[in-house]
Amino acid sequence: AQKITQTQPGMFVQEKEAVTLDCTYDTSDQSYGLFWYKQPSSGEMIFLIYQGSYDEQNATEGRYSLNFQKARKSANLVISASQLGDSAMYFCAMSSLFGNEKLTFGTGTRLTIIP
Amino acid sequence: EPEVTQTPSHQVTQMGQEVILRCVPISNHLYFYWYRQILGQKVEFLVSFYNNEISEKSEIFDDQFSVERPDGSNFTLKIRSTKLEDSAMYFCASRTDRGPEKLFFGSGTQLSVL
């Protein structure tokens, strides 16, 4: 079974500052993928970034980077130069890389950017 | 950019009624999923569908739930007799066979059971 833990229910960050959202995971799978999704108040799920367990380099997508520490089983999301539009709920998720690859989600972190 | 389309965006129904939530996945996708999110809670997996059959389902997906891909384009979730606790946002998702990161979510259907 897979488990995702997000320990920060809410965060407040000043605009233009960097922010790190924490995510730890647990799995018995050898090969797995880690995801971050953004959910604005409108409700849709927006894919941000993906990291495969076999990837040696941390994933980056524009202002988003994933700080992957396999030994610690952590996959923190780093948002650089935060913007007001970054205010949203952020979910960490994982899947195995075999079978139907369903996602297991964490409970989310609500990020609020302060102008 | 192609997208997963869900209709309706909001649905209100009476307890005990049947509802059908509709999804049009991206045309060349092969794997289809339904997830739900009860207000204020995390997103939960319901069911996955591949090659015209259910490949996996969660404990939530009991006999009241069913899925169909009737015409090669639509992917539906049916709840036969809705309960108050079925009130949630229901997300459809689809992907190709080219890796889990190619998963696309629809914008969701907010189901309210009264």
Side-chain angles (χ1 to χ4, degrees):
Chain A
Q2 298 175 337
K3 185 177 181 182
I4 294 284
T5 301
Q6 294 180 255
T7 57
Q8 306 154 311
M11 289 188 71
F12 291 84
V13 172
Q14 204 75 36
E15 188 180 7
K16 298 181 186 175
E17 288 186 352
V19 56
T20 297
L21 305 182
D22 294 340
C23 173
T24 58
Y25 62 90
D26 193 20
T27 181
S28 56
D29 293 324
Q30 294 300 310
S31 298
Y32 50 88
L34 296 155
F35 304 74
W36 277 92
Y37 286 87
K38 173 183 179 181
Q39 186 178 43
S41 55
S42 50
E44 70 267 32
M45 295 291 287
I46 302 169
F47 168 77
L48 294 178
I49 196 165
Y50 168 82
Q51 176 90 39
S53 60
Y54 44 80
D55 294 333
E56 293 186 356
Q57 289 195 335
N58 288 341
T60 59
E61 291 282 351
R63 294 187 299 113
Y64 304 108
S65 60
L66 198 153
N67 184 2
F68 179 46
Q69 297 189 40
K70 196 170 184 177
R72 294 186 176 183
K73 294 190 174 181
S74 74
N76 297 340
L77 177 70
V78 180
I79 306 174
S80 63
S82 57
Q83 302 170 356
L84 295 178
D86 294 333
S87 293
M89 196 74 169
Y90 288 80
F91 289 98
C92 181
M94 73 178 304
S95 75
S96 67
L97 295 185
F98 297 99
N100 72 70
E101 298 173 359
K102 68 179 188 289
L103 291 176
T104 298
F105 285 82
T107 50
T109 295
R110 182 167 297 283
L111 176 65
T112 303
I113 306 301
I114 305 165
Chain B
E1 185 173 326
E3 59 181 23
V4 177
T5 305
Q6 287 187 244
T7 56
S9 57
H10 293 84
Q11 175 125 23
V12 181
T13 190
Q14 294 289 324
M15 189 171 58
Q17 294 295 306
E18 175 184 285
V19 294
I20 297 176
L21 309 183
R22 303 183 191 279
C23 169
V24 179
I26 296 171
S27 61
N28 62 340
H29 283 193
L30 302 174
Y31 295 82
F32 311 105
Y33 305 83
W34 284 100
Y35 290 83
R36 82 169 186 190
Q37 184 183 28
I38 295 172
L39 184 64
Q41 299 186 21
K42 65 181 178 181
V43 180
E44 301 171 291
F45 167 75
L46 289 178
V47 66
S48 58
F49 193 86
Y50 172 71
N51 202 25
N52 285 319
E53 61 182 19
I54 291 174
S55 50
E56 187 173 346
K57 57 184 180 180
S58 71
E59 292 177 353
I60 303 168
F61 194 89
D62 61 22
D63 292 344
Q64 292 300 312
F65 291 87
S66 62
V67 289
E68 273 191 331
R69 190 162 156 78
D71 56 11
S73 61
N74 292 289
F75 180 50
T76 62
L77 174 69
K78 181 192 289 186
I79 309 175
R80 288 190 184 81
S81 178
T82 50
K83 308 186 196 91
L84 295 177
E85 54 265 36
D86 293 327
S87 294
M89 178 76 95
Y90 288 80
F91 291 102
C92 173
S94 70
R95 68 172 179 88
T96 67
D97 60 352
R98 294 181 183 178
E101 68 269 31
K102 303 300 181 187
L103 182 71
F104 290 81
F105 279 85
S107 54
T109 293
Q110 181 65 54
L111 176 65
S112 298
V113 182
L114 305 178

